[in-house]
Amino acid sequence: MPARKVYLDHSATTPLAAEVYEAMKPFLQERFGNPNSLHSWGREARKAVDESRASIARLINAEPREVIITGGGSEADNLAIKGTAFALQGRGRHIITSAIEHHAVIDTCKWLEKQGFELTVLPVDETGMVSIADLDAAIREETILVTIMYANNEVGTIQPVREIVRTARAKGVRVHLDGVQAVGHIPVDVKDLDADLLTLSAHKMYGPKGVGALYVKRGVKLDPLVHGGGQEFGLRSGTENTAGIVGFGAAAELANRRLEEGAVEEESRLKDLLINGITDKIPNAHITGHPVERLPFHASVCFDYIEGESMLLRLDAAGIGASSGSACTSGSLEPSHVLLAMGIPHELAHGSLRLTLGKDTTEEDILYVLEILPKVVSDLRALSPLGKELS
Ligand SMILES: Cc1ncc(COP(=O)(O)O)c(C=O)c1O
């Protein structure tokens, strides 16, 4: 048995908060009504859905009518991108995205490319940032959508979203931001940003899995992907996942409260302790992502002469849950497209490690990781002909 269990993979998913679970429970059992029914059971469920939608809207400073509940972040990304493509194809068929998007965005764009849409994939610099000049130059008469992530899941870099929106909007182009990693963790205000579409996911902010939302600014027209009973203002048919939506609402309330109580500062402090500890204690540790413009809970690093998977297994044996960009979701051994797009060489990208903190992470947890990780790295390097002298 490991001395301690430390979960540092909150970018993959967060635990369900106790208060979120409590809020959901009645809707899994006695409050089972269909929100579309007219009787008291239905009205009770409808009220819960409406209140939750209002909580989610408050988190991003939107109107409740602008929040479309979906079956997760991936579905919201699909709705934003395909929904725009189908609605605006009469005006143009060109879409702009970046090289470091989540697969829910990049694969959706690539699918549209096969249907005859044109795609421009913007490069990023070595910190994972897109260039506003590149974006400006890529926009053409036929451009209908710019879809760029708010913050990256693998390296934590926060994009210059305000400038991205301003640049696209100045040329009359719609903007979608994938905010899955950002919303609930840093203040996000859609009115201030003026973005058209923003993706959210409940399970990245202590809510349940399989529930997300797309913010759709009033007046922005999308074609629905799921047709049927016309729920979600006609944009996503199907009887609502009441318990999931209530959980999302409770998670949004929790996120609002945590942001007000200074969660960003506390997570940043622990993240800095971790990053500084790693660079102090481990030679040839390359922190990836932007040094300043990064998510407050996100640390990512590449180590020379190491395989990410071996590192994960050894950390897991020591009770530490982490992830590596070298292990792609499909199980392929190709290093992450994000790290490669940032110009990180293949060999180094293979030794990537992502440690993402959460609301229950303590200083003791970080100190434990700083005790275990240097030994794991040094032991693995000792097995590598090139790494021996560093171990
Ligand atoms: C940036 C980003 N977008 C989209 C998603 C997909 O969200 P979901 O898991 O809710 O489908 C993720 C999940 O990892 C993500 O990190």
Side-chain angles (χ1 to χ4, degrees), residues 139-299:
I139 297 175
R140 343 195 270 244
E141 190 66 29
E142 315 80 55
T143 310
I144 50 170
L145 181 69
V146 171
T147 171
I148 291 182
M149 68 202 324
Y150 201 118
N152 184 267
N153 45 312
E154 287 187 36
V155 295
T157 300
I158 300 174
Q159 295 298 331
V161 279
R162 205 175 293 274
E163 289 73 21
I164 288 171
V165 174
R166 206 179 296 141
T167 305
R169 298 300 304 277
K171 296 190 173 174
V173 177
R174 184 182 286 190
V175 184
H176 166 238
L177 302 172
D178 177 346
V180 166
Q181 294 287 337
V183 175
H185 298 282
I186 55 174
V188 174
D189 180 328
V190 288
K191 291 219 169 63
D192 182 43
L193 272 174
D194 201 28
D196 299 283
L197 302 157
L198 173 83
T199 294
L200 289 67
S201 178
H203 78 102
K204 309 288 186 178
M205 43 188 271
Y206 309 100
K209 292 168 185 58
V211 197
L214 183 67
Y215 158 77
V216 181
K217 188 163 71 179
R218 194 180 280 266
V220 167
K221 294 275 175 288
L222 288 178
D223 273 12
L225 305 185
V226 183
H227 300 88
Q231 289 89 346
E232 296 302 311
F233 314 108
L235 280 176
R236 204 264 189 178
S237 287
T239 302
E240 295 84 346
N241 169 9
T242 312
I245 296 169
V246 167
F248 195 179
E253 292 288 336
L254 170 66
N256 254 326
R257 211 173 52 244
R258 291 189 68 240
L259 286 169
E260 276 166 22
E261 287 168 357
V264 172
E265 291 72 21
E266 177 56 8
E267 282 182 351
S268 284
R269 185 183 76 78
L270 292 179
K271 180 258 296 168
D272 290 343
L273 182 69
L274 179 59
I275 287 183
N276 294 336
I278 290 173
T279 49
D280 282 353
K281 290 181 173 218
I282 307 178
N284 289 41
H286 311 268
I287 301 298
T288 53
H290 199 280
V292 182
E293 298 298 329
R294 71 182 301 140
L295 291 168
F297 62 93
H298 200 295

